[in-house]
Amino acid sequence: MKTLNEKINTHFAGKVVRKDLTKLVKGNAIVPTYVLEYLLGQYCATDDEETIIQGVETVKTIIAKHFVHREESQIIKSMVREKGSHRIIDKVAVQLNDRQDRYEASFANLGLTRIPISDSIIKEHQKLLSSGVWCILTLGYSPSEERDHTPWFVESLKPIQVSNVDIDEYKSTRKQFSKEEWIDMLMQSIGLNPTEFTFRSKLLQLTRLVPFVENNYNLIELGPKGTGKSHIYSEMSPHGILISGGEVSKAKLFVNNSSGEIGLVGYWDVVAYDEFAGKTKRVDRGLVDIMKNYMANKSFSRGTQVYGASASMVFVGNTDHSVAYMLKHSDLFDALPKDYYDTAFLDRMHAYLPGWEVQKLRNEMFTSEYGFIVDYLAEILKNLRKEDRTHDYTKFFELSSTITTRDKTSIAKTYAGLIKVIYPDDAYSELEAKEILDFAIENRKRVKDQLRKMDETFEEVDFSYVSKSSGESFDIETLEEIQYKPKPVVSEGNENQMVSNESSPQIKDKIQLNPGQKIIRDNQTGISYDNLFGAYLLNSSDIKVVDPYVRLPYQLRNLMEFAKLIAEKKETDSEVKLHLVTSNNEDFIANVKEAFDQMTYSLESMGIIFSYEFDDYIHDRSITSDNGWKIILGRGLDIWQKTGGWYDISEYVQEQRICKACEITFVKEG
């Protein structure tokens, strides 16, 4: 992280901030992250510690003096009255009063409404006419004895957002970072610690940025509570707005037939609906029909007038059941309100992000390292909306002819959005393009698979594609398909090795197993040592494990769980030798030796004779048994992501743990 931080500050000086500073200045201010980082960017966009300390104090002072807390609104009003004017930070919304032919502002925290504001300010900042914008403004007070006179007025106003970003400089500087460094920097920019996430998990997080970078992009994410589904849409950009799913109306969203005012889609780049799920929620059926038309055609109408807009739509909500339950008994849209449980509406979704793969946010998953000031990143993403990358995948690949136009558009938009986010300089290899295309196809396939379950008139689609350079064809499956597809267990006479998602019963009879390979994907669940290679340990009396990294507590736990599996597979009255070859260093050696000695004593009572040695030159990872099988482990025994701790069931049940991507190869020796 230190090296990356230095690189970030070298190439993006003045445009990045240390992410833990936001917490230091926030206090009890209920204010979005982009507002705080806008201020931090003015005073703390550096890696000089002394400047940071001074800058934090300055921002704290600004927040204390100018931010309007609701409970202190009367004090602020009194201050404005006594001084004649005062600078404040508040959320401002404006409406046209057609009776008096003037614009009037309302202040979310200060509580003032119907305050006159000049036409020139509205012409410059039209977004004020929507649901409110955070601003730094000077509020004035001028008493008068005139009847119906309002003493309050707005002297000056500036929305809190960065302006004049250099998109060409941003793109050229991207070339100084590797793919991994850039993705980690983006993760830190949205406040997350990249070391806690796999590549696939990072893609899930970064896909939440696609609506900000791609026009008219429709995204749905359903999953458990506490995974941060709505955070980005409320905190990370002044160009997105998060509203409660229950507050949506035709007038608020599209156009008010009484006043003629354009709704949210006319002013915002992203309109996100929080708490969108809930079977019992009441919905205006007419609104659903308007949304269907807008999501398909990028337009909406009022009478004979047709309006176009580019706002992306995001729908986030909580699921009621586990994925396995939904796949067996209903479908993955099961939690939606009845009127949104409409195949024509859901077919407009370009991608379904699997929220159940996103881990619940823990303290260690947040970063204290450097990342872009989020408002700077927001302006970059807004600029990238102007670019069309939807045909870029055709440089390398050709989609199956059975994929419909709507499916192709969906795949292309997700692909284009992620390319803009990760490769804004348009410099990437075919392999890197394949990673993005696979992910884009999977997220559209998830939509289509559920539509086929809901309505049998939807035809099955072959979500495959061909590489133009090699001619090789690739078939895409969703991760839940792989995890929950019924699979036969190993049985006597079976010609092929199969892996079940349920622990296979102990098998004592002779079985036939063929050499082969098992590929485990990022975030896959349902995997245990038993259903991976339990059958290959039968009839063993001498097993050697080579794994250079067995030193940390969870790695030692993995070794003990492997020993437990050996005990389950051997005859009760037999003994099995288990020898570990690993490496170590001075920081861990004493504790590890003590742990291994305790294991030796403990396992002896189960008929396992444990021994170990240290070899600092090993790199490969494998399990070799005297029954003739060698199992090559891509990651060693460490195949799972971190669990949530003692009170997380996955700490105790391997099948509940989330996997890291790896390959397991079975080789018959001799």
Side-chain angles (χ1 to χ4, degrees), residues 260-509:
E261 292 180 0
I262 300 299
L264 298 176
V265 297
Y267 296 103
W268 298 89
D269 288 347
V270 179
V271 179
Y273 307 85
D274 196 11
E275 301 170 353
F276 184 67
K279 289 184 178 181
T280 59
K281 286 186 177 177
R282 298 181 64 182
V283 178
D284 179 356
R285 184 66 209 180
L287 171 63
V288 178
D289 291 335
I290 295 174
M291 288 177 72
K292 279 194 288 192
N293 182 67
Y294 173 74
M295 291 163 69
N297 303 315
K298 310 171 190 174
S299 63
F300 56 95
S301 59
R302 174 182 178 266
T304 58
Q305 186 73 34
V306 177
Y307 302 90
S310 61
S312 294
M313 297 279 196
V314 179
F315 307 89
V316 296
N318 299 326
T319 48
D320 298 325
H321 303 287
S322 68
V323 178
Y325 180 95
M326 288 187 286
L327 290 176
K328 182 174 181 180
H329 298 285
S330 55
D331 55 74
L332 298 178
F333 291 119
D334 177 67
L336 296 186
K338 183 179 121 181
D339 287 304
Y340 285 116
Y341 191 77
D342 177 320
T343 55
F345 170 75
L346 296 172
D347 196 21
R348 268 72 170 171
M349 298 296 173
H350 296 125
Y352 185 149
L353 213 57
W356 51 86
E357 286 189 38
V358 181
Q359 295 187 58
K360 292 195 174 183
L361 296 175
R362 308 183 302 272
N363 286 336
E364 61 267 28
M365 298 173 79
F366 296 99
T367 187
S368 57
E369 308 298 337
Y370 284 85
F372 287 125
I373 297 167
V374 290
D375 200 32
Y376 170 76
L377 180 60
E379 293 305 312
I380 290 291
L381 298 180
K382 183 174 181 65
N383 272 266
L384 288 171
R385 284 175 80 89
K386 302 170 186 175
E387 300 182 8
D388 183 4
R389 303 272 188 92
T390 52
H391 300 288
D392 284 16
Y393 73 91
T394 59
K395 291 186 292 188
F396 302 112
F397 310 109
E398 183 177 350
L399 296 177
S400 165
S401 59
T402 69
I403 299 179
T404 66
T405 301
R406 181 167 285 170
D407 292 330
K408 285 182 178 178
T409 299
S410 300
I411 293 165
K413 287 179 78 68
T414 304
Y415 176 90
L418 284 170
I419 288 295
K420 290 180 193 178
V421 170
I422 301 173
Y423 306 103
D425 57 340
D426 203 28
Y428 53 94
S429 67
E430 180 174 338
L431 181 60
E432 290 167 333
K434 183 181 185 303
E435 291 174 334
I436 303 300
L437 184 62
D438 286 355
F439 188 75
I441 294 175
E442 182 184 343
N443 282 289
R444 175 56 188 178
K445 187 176 190 296
R446 184 171 292 109
V447 174
K448 207 57 178 281
D449 287 350
Q450 303 317 302
L451 293 177
R452 288 189 61 243
K453 291 185 73 174
M454 295 166 65
D455 184 349
E456 59 186 18
T457 62
F458 278 89
E459 296 183 0
E460 186 171 0
V461 176
D462 171 22
F463 281 94
S464 66
Y465 65 92
V466 174
S467 165
K468 291 182 176 179
S469 62
S470 68
E472 185 177 359
S473 179
F474 301 95
D475 294 306
I476 302 300
E477 289 184 293
T478 64
L479 186 53
E480 61 271 12
E481 278 183 281
I482 296 170
Q483 290 175 182
Y484 300 108
K485 184 186 293 182
K487 299 180 182 180
V489 299
V490 177
S491 59
E492 186 173 359
N494 193 354
E495 294 295 324
N496 296 299
Q497 176 244 345
M498 305 293 284
V499 178
S500 169
N501 270 337
E502 298 180 1
S503 296
S504 53
Q506 190 168 332
I507 303 166
K508 298 295 184 183
D509 299 325

Side-chain angles (χ1 to χ4, degrees), residues 198-235:
T198 63
F199 175 68
R200 180 180 172 88
S201 295
K202 291 172 186 176
L203 278 185
L204 290 172
Q205 294 289 340
L206 296 182
T207 302
R208 292 170 173 172
L209 295 177
V210 172
F212 291 100
V213 80
E214 191 69 17
N215 289 327
N216 301 103
Y217 184 73
N218 307 319
L219 175 69
I220 187 167
E221 179 179 355
L222 302 177
K225 298 176 182 177
T227 57
K229 293 185 289 293
S230 59
H231 175 76
I232 276 182
Y233 308 109
S234 64
E235 297 283 318

Side-chain angles (χ1 to χ4, degrees), residues 9 16-27 31 33 35-60 63 188 191 366-371 373:
N9 276 286
V16 294
V17 70
R18 216 176 69 204
K19 291 294 171 170
D20 58 332
L21 300 183
T22 307
K23 294 178 184 176
L24 292 178
V25 301
K26 187 163 189 175
V31 58
T33 301
V35 173
L36 295 174
E37 289 198 8
Y38 174 87
L39 297 172
L40 288 168
Q42 310 294 307
Y43 303 98
C44 304
T46 176
D47 60 348
D48 179 70
E49 195 63 33
E50 188 174 335
T51 305
I52 287 174
I53 293 170
Q54 293 174 354
V56 166
E57 291 306 312
T58 301
V59 174
K60 280 183 177 179
I63 293 292
Q188 290 174 191
F366 296 99
T367 187
S368 57
E369 308 298 337
Y370 284 85
I373 297 167

